[in-house]
Amino acid sequence: MAIKRLCYEYDSQAEVHDMYDYIQLITSHDSNFKDVKVGLQLYEMEIMPWKNIGIRQVNGENKLICPYWWNGYIDVKHKRLIFSLSANEFKISERNIRQAKQKNVLGALAGLFVLEEKCLEKMRARYREEFKKYDFPSVTVEISDKFNDSIFQENIEVSENI
């Protein structure tokens, strides 16, 4: 799970078990996390998938504020359809599949993209330090990228410096 991995990258000793822990740990290490924008150039849009997340005091209690797409994502993932038994017959009592609307799907994908980018950023920094510590030479890796054949991209140059 990408969010657990990011938490590990921030603090490998931290015990995180749920969204409350994830958000608390990530925002304590990266105060700008909720301000990250993901651009969809094809549609000339920007999405802030983690906007407004955090822990807030409500009536003396800590309350988790999840991203706008999170509850829909969880409902679709775990409870697409909920059945009830009535007169020896199963009937659909709830259709959470309706939460799989474009706004939630784009938010979830953009949220995952941010998590993956942050993980890679932290991992690059960690490996750079390891390379320096053991006096390894700098390495550039060229990656063959089939994504350039996509109708949505002009050209993508991919290389990784470690």
Side-chain angles (χ1 to χ4, degrees):
M1 193 154 124
I3 199 163
K4 276 187 181 179
R5 180 60 195 207
L6 181 58
C7 289
Y8 175 84
E9 290 299 326
Y10 281 123
D11 183 351
S12 61
Q13 303 302 311
E15 296 221 10
V16 290
H17 305 287
D18 56 23
M19 193 62 162
Y20 184 91
D21 295 340
Y22 306 146
I23 288 177
Q24 195 169 28
L25 186 110
I26 291 169
T27 56
S28 71
H29 284 86
D30 185 350
S31 59
N32 297 321
F33 183 78
K34 55 180 126 187
D35 300 324
V36 175
K37 296 176 184 175
V38 175
L40 299 174
Q41 292 176 346
L42 182 65
Y43 300 106
E44 297 177 1
M45 298 174 56
E46 284 186 337
I47 299 173
M48 293 176 66
W50 297 99
K51 183 180 178 182
N52 298 327
I53 62 164
I55 313 296
R56 299 215 173 75
Q57 283 280 331
V58 178
N59 298 329
E61 253 182 60
N62 284 341
K63 183 178 179 190
L64 172 65
I65 309 299
C66 290
Y68 66 88
W69 51 267
W70 183 258
N71 290 330
Y73 163 77
I74 292 299
D75 285 348
V76 170
K77 181 179 176 186
H78 296 291
K79 304 176 283 189
R80 284 181 195 93
L81 296 172
I82 298 176
F83 296 93
S84 62
L85 182 61
S86 174
N88 287 336
E89 191 175 294
F90 283 103
K91 295 183 178 183
I92 298 171
S93 60
E94 212 173 316
R95 297 176 189 271
N96 288 324
I97 198 72
R98 291 181 183 131
Q99 293 296 321
K101 52 191 171 190
Q102 185 178 20
K103 181 179 180 180
N104 287 343
V105 171
L106 286 175
L109 290 172
L112 176 61
F113 179 76
V114 170
L115 293 172
E116 296 288 347
E117 284 291 311
K118 292 284 185 176
C119 279
L120 287 172
E121 182 182 298
K122 297 297 290 175
M123 291 168 74
R124 280 185 199 107
R126 185 164 42 88
Y127 285 118
R128 276 192 196 101
E129 289 303 313
E130 289 290 316
F131 276 42
K132 284 180 192 173
K133 186 164 102 177
Y134 295 107
D135 202 26
F136 289 137
S138 179
V139 176
T140 299
V141 179
E142 296 284 333
I143 302 169
S144 171
D145 190 1
K146 295 291 182 194
F147 195 68
N148 282 330
D149 297 335
S150 168
I151 61 170
F152 301 115
Q153 299 294 326
E154 289 289 319
N155 192 20
I156 296 176
E157 296 288 326
V158 179
S159 68
E160 182 69 40
N161 292 313
I162 300 178

